[in-house]
Amino acid sequence: MLKIAIQKSGRLHDGSIDLLKNCGLKISNGRNQLMTPVQNFDAQLLYLRDDDIPQYVQDGVADIGIIGENVLLEKQSRVDLVKKLGFSKCRVSLAIPKNDSYTDVRFLHGKKIATSYPNILGAFLKKHRVKSEIHNISGSVEIAPGIGLADAIMDIVSTGSTLLSNGLKEVETVLESEAILVASQDLEKERKNLLDQLLFRIESVLKARDYKYILLNAPNDNIQEIVQILPGMKSPTVLPLAESGWSSIHSVVSESHFWEIIDQLKDLGAEGLLIVPIEKMVL
Ligand code: PRT
Ligand code: ZN
């Protein structure tokens, strides 16, 4: 039995549930429950506060967990980072009042900085040999400069609108973060096998999220050139169309690559492009 800890409610909850469901696990969303069994996989879900998950995994109360990388770095728990999961992306940044002029990190010397991430901030200041006063506060960090509690803050930023509406500007990115899968460092064999099975599924789901299935029609004269820029998993499939002189080409491309080559494809006479999501991808 593998015990999987996820956030009970908050920004990581839905992404964690979606990922596990996409891996084929039958689960309920855990409203009003601490623990639910997975019906079709030898696992149990524990619903916890995200801050508690690293410690529970370290202590073996849970075997694996999904948390933000920022939380792992702050807690400094002895757990393994198994996989970056690509959702709940954010950054931990330093921000100062928008009218203050900032040159570089030396600005922070002797200043008061409010944050909920004192360890991450301490390490950053040490690296840059800056001495500041760290104010550890647990919520609403962004109001600290406005009420005279601090000269700067370090907090999570996603769109930047919280900083903007509090009259602050972002001046340094200290850390890029996303949801990660962590595991206990001493999993017994049976649990390690279950983790490997789950990880295989997670990797198939994550690969599929990055890639799209592409179908397009092209004049036969340009097939060679189109195939060159559309490599596919092995090589693209080319099927004749009912209209002579034309073929349908099918392939798999990463979404970012697709946007890079779209103009080239059109210049080569490609028509009727369809981009279709892929659910799972096993290579
Ligand atoms: O109750 P529990 O302790 O479990 O949850 P929590 O309140 O501690 O955490 P939660 O749910 O807010 O966030 C969980 C994780 O989501 C964080 O640890 C990050 O890894 C990740 N994440 C992604 C974020 C954001 N985006 C985010 N925007 N966490 C917080 N924010 C907050 C931020 O603190 C700030 O107040 O959103 C505001 C900034 O957002 P923008 O869009 O205005 O820049
Ligand atoms: Zn939390």
Side-chain angles (χ1 to χ4, degrees):
M1 160 90 72
L2 188 70
K3 285 181 284 176
I4 308 170
I6 65 167
Q7 191 189 30
K8 179 157 179 63
S9 65
R11 287 187 169 84
L12 292 162
H13 176 85
D14 290 351
S16 306
I17 292 278
D18 277 356
L19 178 65
L20 295 174
K21 282 189 174 166
N22 279 325
C23 289
L25 273 56
K26 281 200 175 151
I27 45 187
S28 64
N29 67 8
R31 302 253 180 275
N32 310 319
Q33 279 160 307
L34 176 64
M35 216 188 277
T36 57
V38 179
Q39 290 155 29
N40 58 352
F41 192 85
D42 190 10
Q44 204 170 37
L45 283 194
L46 304 180
Y47 300 94
L48 301 167
R49 287 204 52 199
D50 66 343
D51 317 71
D52 297 334
I53 293 176
Q55 188 68 41
Y56 280 129
V57 172
Q58 181 179 313
D59 295 345
V61 176
D63 300 310
I64 64 173
I66 298 177
I67 51 171
E69 205 172 345
N70 50 306
V71 170
L72 177 62
L73 288 170
E74 181 59 28
K75 301 283 173 194
Q76 301 174 348
S77 307
R78 288 188 308 283
V79 297
D80 289 335
L81 194 171
V82 180
K83 186 88 198 159
K84 296 200 179 200
L85 300 174
F87 62 91
S88 290
K89 288 192 176 175
C90 58
R91 50 197 188 276
V92 177
S93 292
L94 282 153
I96 62 169
K98 68 174 191 298
N99 295 329
D100 288 1
S101 49
Y102 185 84
T103 43
D104 57 36
V105 284
R106 280 170 296 179
F107 170 93
L108 300 166
H109 198 77
K111 299 270 194 325
K112 287 185 204 159
I113 311 174
T115 188
S116 309
Y117 296 91
N119 290 325
I120 294 175
L121 178 56
F124 176 84
L125 295 173
K126 192 170 171 201
K127 183 174 140 204
H128 291 279
R129 295 163 196 257
V130 171
K131 281 203 172 9
S132 313
E133 202 180 305
I134 300 176
H135 276 252
N136 184 9
I137 55 176
S138 59
S140 303
V141 173
E142 65 280 356
I143 65 168
I147 58 172
L149 190 69
D151 307 299
I153 65 160
M154 192 192 76
D155 198 11
I156 293 177
V157 181
S158 173
T159 60
S161 65
T162 302
L163 294 183
L164 201 68
S165 59
N166 284 281
L168 301 171
K169 63 179 176 189
E170 194 174 351
V171 290
E172 297 279 348
T173 302
V174 175
L175 170 76
E176 304 271 357
S177 177
E178 63 187 87
I180 54 170
L181 182 72
V182 294
S184 153
Q185 290 182 338
D186 37 31
L187 281 184
E188 57 176 57
K189 197 156 176 261
E190 181 218 330
R191 292 174 194 222
K192 176 80 176 65
N193 284 340
L194 288 166
L195 170 59
D196 287 344
Q197 283 176 40
L198 181 63
L199 196 55
F200 177 78
R201 296 186 191 190
I202 289 176
E203 281 167 352
S204 311
V205 172
L206 295 184
K207 265 185 221 123
R209 282 183 184 171
D210 282 347
Y211 285 84
K212 301 282 178 233
Y213 194 76
I214 177 170
L215 304 95
L216 59 88
N217 297 331
N220 286 347
D221 290 347
N222 292 344
I223 289 176
Q224 286 312 322
E225 279 175 89
I226 290 179
V227 164
Q228 289 297 314
I229 55 173
L230 268 186
M233 287 212 276
K234 216 164 192 167
S235 82
T237 307
V238 180
L239 300 165
L241 286 187
E243 188 182 331
S244 74
W246 282 78
S247 296
S248 169
I249 302 178
H250 300 195
S251 189
V252 169
V253 289
S254 76
E255 182 147 14
S256 56
H257 186 55
F258 168 74
W259 292 114
E260 283 163 23
I261 61 171
I262 175 86
D263 290 333
Q264 279 173 277
L265 292 174
K266 287 204 285 201
D267 290 347
L268 288 165
E271 289 179 1
L273 284 97
L274 292 180
I275 309 298
V276 185
I278 299 170
E279 192 168 321
K280 309 276 187 309
M281 203 162 136
V282 179
L283 297 176

